[in-house]
């Protein structure tokens, strides 16, 4: 069953300007060390950050809260499988919220997809509950 759906569209140029203006202060507030490492080693640094920004926004919407009620930016993070597939991880209050949403006898799975076409980066998040076998 679907527990939540979220989407977000981020402007890559806006993220690039924010990175230029605030640098590490912005990076360290919003992105995990792993996300920063991934972005800084990509040809399109701002695009990579923008996709992860959109993913965090989309995840917070799928959790039904938006970025309020105690969810911190770093409570949501994106990594990639060896195949390149993005994977959303939640910790802290986001993980607590996910546990509250998940019916007894089910496990929650977070599906995320990312795309970009300059100047836009977009993410979709679907939270699914599957019965535990």
């Amino acid at each position: 069953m679907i527990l939540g759906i979220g989407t977000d569209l981020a402007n890559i140029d806006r993220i690039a300007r924010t990175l230029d203006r605030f640098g590490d202060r912005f990076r360290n507030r919003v992105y995990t060390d792993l996300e920063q490492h991934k972005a800084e080693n990509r040809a399109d640094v701002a695009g990579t950050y923008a996709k992860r920004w959109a993913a965090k926004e989309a995840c917070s919407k799928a959790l039904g809260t938006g970025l309020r009620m105690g969810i911190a930016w770093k409570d949501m993070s994106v990594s990639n499988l060896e195949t390149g597939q993005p994977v959303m991880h939640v910790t802290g209050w986001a993980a607590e919220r996910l546990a509250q949403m998940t019916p007894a006898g089910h496990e929650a799975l977070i599906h995320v997809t990312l795309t970009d076409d300059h100047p836009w980066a977009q993410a979709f998040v679907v939270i699914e509950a599957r019965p535990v076998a």
Side-chain angles (χ1 to χ4, degrees):
M1 91 182 63
I2 303 297
L3 298 179
I5 299 171
T7 185
D8 192 67
L9 185 65
N11 185 288
I12 296 169
D13 294 332
R14 178 175 160 251
I15 297 295
R17 286 191 304 272
T18 302
L19 287 164
D20 288 343
R21 183 172 179 195
F22 297 105
D24 285 342
R25 189 170 129 206
F26 171 68
R27 278 188 215 57
N28 293 332
R29 186 176 136 250
V30 176
Y31 303 99
T32 65
D33 291 342
L34 182 63
E35 289 174 312
Q36 290 181 48
H37 178 75
K38 180 79 166 182
E40 296 297 328
N41 287 297
R42 286 267 176 98
D44 183 10
V45 173
T48 302
Y49 278 123
K51 285 187 279 190
R52 278 148 178 76
W53 173 278
K56 291 167 187 269
E57 286 274 9
C59 185
S60 72
K61 293 171 185 174
L63 289 168
T65 63
L67 285 160
R68 60 175 208 264
M69 297 176 62
I71 291 180
W73 285 104
K74 287 180 162 183
D75 284 349
M76 301 164 289
S77 66
V78 177
S79 67
N80 295 84
L81 299 177
E82 288 183 19
T83 61
Q85 177 184 347
V87 178
M88 178 65 69
H89 307 276
V90 293
T91 59
W93 200 92
E96 291 175 25
R97 173 67 179 148
L98 182 61
Q100 292 170 354
M101 295 171 59
T102 306
H106 289 74
E107 64 179 342
L109 298 157
I110 303 175
H111 305 279
V112 60
T113 186
L114 309 172
T115 190
D116 64 289
D117 187 6
H118 197 89
W120 301 107
Q122 186 173 34
F124 286 95
V125 171
V126 176
I127 302 175
E128 172 189 12
R130 285 192 193 162
V132 176

